[in-house]
Amino acid sequence: MIYETEDLIIIYKIDTDRKINAAGSEEENGSGTEYYGDVEILRVYSRTPCVVLPEIIDVYKVTKVGEYCFAEMSHIEEKYSVELDNTQKDIYHEAAGNYILEVMLPESIKSIGRNAFYNCRKLKSITVGAACEEIGGDIFMNCRSLHTINLTCDVNERSGIKQLLSRYSSDIEVVYECNGEISAKIFYPEYVESYDEIAPAHIFGRNITGEGFRARECFTEGVPNLGQYDEIFEKASAEESIKTASKIALDRLLYPVDLSEKAKEQYSGYIREYDSEIIRILVSEKELETIYFLCSERYIKASAYDVGIAAATADEWGEGAASMLKWKHKFCGDIKKSRYSF
């Protein structure tokens, strides 16, 4: 079946095994109650590389992303396959593989089929709701640019994020946004999994390198256990790069949900110890708001300001250099005037 909007063409099927009545509850066939089927998205064509799927198609609720839906190569069954006409081909591009950059799934989505984003090498972010808890295998295989999962729920709300994270071992940031406000950001660093043969009988030992695996286990009944998550930082700060460890610390300091004083001291202490290196990283990423946060909270020394101003000047980032110079005077108290050429 085909559903067409101004921005999308969606190929879908209706799940006849699962029926939903008008009130939103499941019904048996022949119950005499008016009901509608769930929709499974099979393939999408889009005007732009940023795809926003609808929650309702006609009278049907969209609840599933099918297997290989956005994958580079289509695996759609022949009976559902559709050939676009020449006019449609001029307007819409197959939303798959290297074309897509962002996918926003509706809150009604409850499951994502295996290999759904296979070989989407330029995909940067996806957005899902709390109801998405059934996650197929290898959904993010070869998604080398993916760096953000946006969750449209509160950080203290149950969701399927643990299952999503289990399908992606590289660096990833989870952003919790509810009613237009970000309640938390949590960074999960990369981990590497390998196996060594430890006996002639082909018995293999599992090796995991990186604190990212432990971080992904810090959940209680589908809700992030932030106290447990904070406990991994002592080891992470010793083993991970400054860029990775500072990302963990900054997200927790910027969004201090359930942050204990002990954890806050640990995170802020790390920032103070490596303030110059961290400012240099933030300047390279032009993270002006985060730099202001560190300045206003007095987490950095005057010498780190100088490093940041010099780095911004070298990068020809005038706004950053001028802002840090102003904040140095404001937050560092009486200091000697220095000359900078922007």
Side-chain angles (χ1 to χ4, degrees):
M1 302 179 74
I2 298 179
Y3 178 76
E4 185 172 352
T5 70
E6 183 179 347
D7 298 315
L8 298 171
I9 291 179
I10 298 173
I11 302 174
Y12 70 96
K13 68 178 181 178
I14 300 172
D15 182 359
T16 56
D17 294 331
R18 191 163 174 268
K19 301 292 186 178
I20 305 296
N21 65 22
S25 59
E26 294 190 18
E27 296 287 348
E28 298 292 335
N29 284 343
S31 65
T33 304
E34 184 179 9
Y35 54 81
Y36 310 105
D38 283 3
V39 164
E40 177 180 344
I41 304 295
L42 302 177
R43 202 68 172 170
V44 179
Y45 296 83
S46 175
R47 284 177 177 266
T48 73
C50 298
V51 178
V52 182
L53 292 183
E55 185 167 332
I56 301 293
I57 291 180
D58 295 328
V59 294
Y60 309 111
K61 182 171 285 189
V62 178
T63 62
K64 183 175 181 179
V65 175
E67 296 179 359
Y68 294 94
C69 180
F70 296 97
E72 185 174 45
M73 298 295 294
S74 175
H75 287 64
I76 192 170
E77 295 180 55
E78 186 175 349
K79 63 181 177 180
Y80 297 113
S81 182
V82 173
E83 181 69 26
L84 301 188
D85 61 38
N86 290 332
T87 301
Q88 290 172 325
K89 288 179 180 178
D90 289 338
I91 299 174
Y92 301 99
H93 194 288
E94 192 170 25
N98 289 336
Y99 179 71
I100 57 172
L101 301 178
E102 179 182 357
V103 174
M104 298 181 67
L105 304 177
E107 294 186 8
S108 56
I109 289 290
K110 296 183 178 181
S111 67
I112 301 176
R114 65 187 179 92
N115 297 106
F117 299 96
Y118 179 56
N119 277 345
C120 294
R121 300 178 187 88
K122 296 183 180 180
L123 178 67
K124 295 180 179 180
S125 70
I126 68 163
T127 299
V128 298
C132 188
E133 294 191 26
E134 185 179 334
I135 311 298
D138 296 327
I139 64 167
F140 297 128
M141 177 71 74
N142 293 335
C143 294
R144 300 165 186 167
S145 301
L146 183 64
H147 57 69
T148 306
I149 298 176
N150 299 297
L151 271 181
T152 56
C153 66
D154 186 76
V155 67
N156 290 316
E157 184 178 347
R158 177 188 172 92
S159 72
I161 187 59
K162 182 179 180 181
Q163 293 91 307
L164 282 167
L165 289 170
S166 71
R167 303 294 191 265
Y168 195 71
S169 61
S170 297
D171 290 347
I172 192 79
E173 183 176 50
V174 178
V175 179
Y176 290 84
E177 185 171 352
C178 187
N179 298 322
E181 292 188 5
I182 296 176
S183 62
K185 291 184 180 182
I186 305 174
F187 183 69
Y188 295 88
E190 181 180 26
Y191 70 92
V192 178
E193 194 171 0
S194 61
Y195 294 87
D196 293 331
E197 189 172 358
I198 58 177
H202 300 292
I203 298 175
F204 292 86
R206 185 187 188 192
N207 298 316
I208 297 175
T209 304
E211 287 302 288
F213 181 82
R214 274 215 301 158
R216 286 163 171 78
E217 294 297 306
C218 298
F219 287 85
T220 302
E221 297 182 355
V223 177
N225 186 325
L226 294 174
Q228 192 177 58
Y229 174 89
D230 292 334
E231 290 176 0
I232 73 168
F233 188 70
E234 182 176 359
K235 189 173 182 181
S237 62
E239 297 183 355
E240 302 287 353
S241 67
I242 294 176
K243 183 176 183 178
T244 295
S246 64
K247 182 64 176 173
I248 295 172
L250 286 169
D251 274 358
R252 291 296 287 131
L253 290 170
L254 284 162
Y255 300 92
V257 180
D258 298 333
L259 184 65
S260 68
E261 283 299 318
K262 179 181 177 182
K264 182 179 179 180
E265 284 300 315
Q266 188 174 33
Y267 288 131
S268 59
Y270 184 86
I271 298 296
R272 291 188 174 99
E273 182 177 357
Y274 296 101
D275 57 354
S276 293
E277 293 89 341
I278 293 168
I279 284 294
R280 192 178 287 111
I281 292 168
L282 294 175
V283 167
S284 69
E285 297 171 349
K286 292 183 169 53
E287 289 284 351
L288 194 59
E289 290 186 7
T290 304
I291 295 172
Y292 175 77
F293 170 77
L294 296 182
C295 295
S296 63
E297 294 294 322
R298 293 175 167 80
Y299 285 147
I300 61 175
K301 301 181 291 292
S303 56
Y305 281 95
D306 294 334
V307 169
I309 293 167
T313 302
D315 287 348
E316 299 182 348
W317 185 33
E319 181 187 13
S323 296
M324 282 183 281
L325 181 59
K326 179 177 69 176
W327 297 335
K328 181 180 181 182
H329 284 272
K330 181 176 181 180
F331 298 117
C332 280
D334 295 330
I335 57 174
K336 294 182 178 179
K337 291 185 177 180
S338 302
R339 294 189 63 184
Y340 299 94
S341 177
F342 303 139

